[in-house]
Amino acid sequence: MTGLRGYQDLLVNATTPQLWREGYRRLVWVLPTGAGKTRCAQTLIARMRATDWCAVYYFAHTTELVTQPASGFASRDVRFGFLKAGLAGDGAAAVQLCSSATAVNRSFYALPRNDGAPHRRCVAFVDEGHRVKTRTILRILSSLSAVYETVYVVIMTATPYRADGRGMTDVADALVAAEDRDAVVGQAEERAGDRHPARIVRRNADHMAGSQ
């Protein structure tokens, strides 16, 4: 999990820690498909666990998304467990990769620090962040807040808006658009070939009013 692109490094190692220090605990990470949301999450989790700074929960709604972050942890000696039927659990691991459908029916407890004492803070990652306002995710975040003194939330999405028009101001404190537009466009063109040049489409800000 080394060799982050410039915009990824800025997001993980500068912008996110700085916003947390300033009191913005609930962040929306906006990166388009292919820009490395999971890689950013893996790197930040490994960094936090290297100092035993917090417990970590990663919530997703499909098996593929639940298991995806685990791919980079073995090389960084990050202990983790799954919270999903059919996958290996480790209730003492300070990183829990969770199916949101499973987690919503479980009772949370403060995960242990390396010295055995309970963690007082946690960071919750929510993949496919446009789902953050579902009853399932809201109930999970409420449960974590009842267990930990401090809960940080990272909502990861390529689409920071919802089809029902509801915004995110009640579940997030700041939105960080971390993509490098030229790099992402270049990657898209490379995949598509010369027959399908990338095209950037902008919409009037009024269209996004529901997500402000």
Side-chain angles (χ1 to χ4, degrees):
M1 291 190 292
T2 58
L4 294 178
R5 299 189 180 101
Y7 65 92
Q8 295 171 332
D9 181 68
L10 185 64
L11 174 66
V12 170
N13 295 313
T15 305
T16 295
Q18 181 61 36
L19 287 171
W20 283 350
R21 285 192 292 269
E22 293 176 5
Y24 299 95
R25 295 179 179 173
R26 304 173 301 172
L27 307 180
V28 179
W29 281 2
V30 182
L31 295 96
T33 302
K37 289 184 290 294
T38 302
R39 186 176 181 83
C40 289
Q42 289 172 322
T43 304
L44 182 56
I45 291 169
R47 174 184 172 179
M48 294 185 297
R49 289 304 310 141
T51 59
D52 201 21
W53 189 73
C54 65
V56 176
Y57 297 86
Y58 188 101
F59 299 102
H61 69 288
T62 68
T63 300
E64 180 182 5
L65 293 177
V66 170
T67 58
Q68 194 173 44
S71 61
F73 288 156
S75 62
R76 298 291 292 268
D77 196 29
V78 175
R79 180 180 174 182
F80 66 91
F82 290 108
L83 182 56
K84 188 182 190 309
L87 298 177
D90 182 351
V95 176
Q96 296 291 315
L97 306 179
C98 311
S99 160
S100 52
T102 300
V104 73
N105 295 312
R106 299 293 180 88
S107 296
F108 289 99
Y109 54 87
L111 296 172
R113 294 172 49 89
N114 291 340
D115 62 8
H119 272 289
R120 298 170 65 181
R121 70 168 71 93
C122 78
V123 177
F125 291 82
V126 180
D127 203 353
E128 297 293 316
H130 54 278
R131 296 172 174 268
V132 72
K133 296 191 71 168
T134 63
R135 292 181 181 179
T136 295
I137 297 298
L138 291 177
R139 182 176 167 186
I140 288 171
L141 296 179
S142 176
S143 296
L144 290 177
S145 295
V147 172
Y148 293 93
E149 293 182 17
T150 306
V151 177
Y152 297 86
V153 182
V154 176
I155 302 164
M156 305 186 303
T157 184
T159 52
Y161 49 85
R162 292 174 53 88
D164 60 12
R166 291 188 296 167
M168 292 187 177
T169 54
D170 57 336
V171 294
D173 304 313
L175 182 150
V176 184
E179 77 275 11
D180 182 325
R181 187 195 69 182
D182 293 336
V184 173
V185 169
Q187 293 167 25
E189 289 183 330
E190 184 177 346
R191 289 194 298 269
D194 295 335
R195 293 175 299 172
H196 302 284
R199 183 166 60 98
I200 298 174
V201 179
R202 295 180 175 86
R203 291 199 175 188
N204 191 301
D206 290 343
H207 178 76
M208 299 295 292
S211 64
Q212 295 178 353

